[in-house]
Amino acid sequence: MQLKQIISLLFVLIALTACDTSLMVQSTGVLRDASRKFELHNGDRRIIYIPMRHLGTRVYYDQIQTAVDSLQKSGYVVFYESIAYQVDSAAQRDLYDRKFRKLTGNRLGLQQCIETPGDTSRVLRAPLYRKLGQRIISQPDYSFFLVNYETAVNADIPKNKLLDDFEFRYGTIQLDACDYNTPLNAPYSCKPIKTALKNKFDKEFVMQQREENLASLVADAPQQKILILFGTSHFKGFLRNLQARDPRWIKIK
């Protein structure tokens, strides 16, 4: 094959890959502006669940901000998602970070295509997003959404507890020299943990345990009107667990 033909073939492959990735990104919903919400009630109490995305347009997050502000003024109390660490030292956090990286590795998908900004004033720079003509930002802090922290409830589980619970059930996450010597902000190419254990962590702890915890907190809460800000993918599991506790809960919207 001549050099020109090889170069032409490479350009075609790159173009096809970019197209497929563009379709994949659009299918995740990050380019949709209109924020959704689910409404539940069990007769006496009401829940509004706003499914959050970790990436979206500024318009999308502005719409959520308006909704949160309005609902809080009408008496709703925010229950929010946050797996922020609860540890005593930087050394503890470093160890948990390395164990978490061992379990999750370098995930394929969007995080390999984009640069996640540290604040909402920066825009993801991937050419993919520029071609789609959208300003995509990472999810702002809850202060951006005007959450009233005096009444709001962190309805999640700290990342360190998720890891502790995983190790209690499946054994200590073994780190090797590569894990300790590779900086946390560097590309990760150490020996991966078994795929079966990764899948168990995702399914049983990242998903199921957090959904059960959210449902438990909401079911036992004294508040009559609750506004939940939690990931899109957790709604079905949350609702299933909530209805298992009280079948009177129904989705009305």
Side-chain angles (χ1 to χ4, degrees):
M1 185 178 292
Q2 296 181 350
L3 180 59
K4 288 185 178 180
Q5 291 176 312
I6 294 175
I7 294 174
S8 298
L9 179 60
L10 288 174
F11 276 122
V12 170
L13 290 174
I14 292 170
L16 289 174
T17 302
C19 178
D20 290 343
T21 308
S22 298
L23 293 174
M24 178 188 69
V25 171
Q26 294 182 70
S27 70
T28 64
V30 300
L31 299 179
R32 290 195 295 268
D33 286 335
S35 59
R36 302 167 59 201
K37 63 181 179 181
F38 301 109
E39 296 186 25
L40 313 171
H41 76 79
N42 71 345
D44 299 326
R45 304 174 64 206
R46 292 187 174 272
I47 296 171
I48 293 179
Y49 187 117
I50 295 181
M52 302 294 288
R53 298 197 298 264
H54 296 301
L55 295 172
T57 63
R58 176 59 188 260
V59 173
Y60 164 75
Y61 291 122
D62 284 343
Q63 290 173 338
I64 294 178
Q65 181 192 74
T66 300
V68 171
D69 187 43
S70 175
L71 288 167
Q72 285 184 134
K73 288 177 179 177
S74 65
Y76 279 83
V77 175
V78 172
F79 280 48
Y80 62 91
E81 173 185 20
S82 174
I83 59 171
Y85 282 110
Q86 292 182 6
V87 294
D88 297 326
S89 68
Q92 277 188 317
R93 174 164 184 157
D94 182 84
L95 179 60
Y96 279 118
D97 275 338
R98 293 178 190 281
K99 289 184 176 182
F100 187 79
R101 181 177 63 179
K102 188 74 171 182
L103 268 177
T104 60
N106 279 341
R107 290 193 179 279
L108 299 177
L110 293 179
Q111 296 304 321
Q112 292 186 330
C113 302
I114 59 176
E115 173 192 354
T116 304
D119 60 71
T120 58
S121 64
R122 296 172 61 200
V123 180
L124 299 178
R125 294 185 174 86
L128 166 66
Y129 286 98
R130 291 204 301 270
K131 289 178 182 177
L132 292 173
Q134 298 288 335
R135 290 175 58 84
I136 306 298
I137 61 176
S138 59
Q139 179 181 319
D141 292 334
Y142 289 110
S143 57
F144 171 88
F145 299 115
L146 308 179
V147 168
N148 180 356
Y149 284 106
E150 292 185 2
T151 59
V153 176
N154 181 348
D156 214 336
I157 301 174
K159 189 188 296 185
N160 51 293
K161 186 178 188 307
L162 291 174
L163 291 168
D164 287 344
D165 290 347
F166 174 86
E167 290 188 316
F168 179 79
R169 187 177 302 178
Y170 294 110
T172 302
I173 301 166
Q174 298 294 338
L175 302 177
D176 56 29
C178 179
D179 292 306
Y180 286 112
N181 294 330
T182 303
L184 290 168
N185 60 353
Y188 183 69
S189 59
C190 302
K191 183 179 179 180
I193 203 166
K194 291 181 179 179
T195 301
L197 289 176
K198 286 185 179 183
N199 294 338
K200 288 180 183 295
F201 182 65
D202 283 341
K203 180 180 179 180
E204 298 176 19
F205 298 88
V206 174
M207 299 299 292
Q208 293 177 357
Q209 185 170 332
R210 294 170 65 210
E211 291 160 1
E212 292 168 0
N213 180 72
L214 176 62
S216 175
L217 289 174
V218 169
D220 296 337
Q223 293 88 347
Q224 294 296 301
K225 300 165 76 174
I226 293 176
L227 169 60
I228 299 175
L229 303 179
F230 225 85
T232 302
S233 61
H234 293 285
F235 176 72
K236 289 183 179 179
F238 158 72
L239 179 58
R240 182 173 60 253
N241 281 283
L242 186 66
Q243 290 175 331
R245 286 175 163 271
D246 184 352
R248 294 179 302 163
W249 281 108
I250 60 172
K251 185 170 74 168
I252 60 176
K253 185 177 177 181

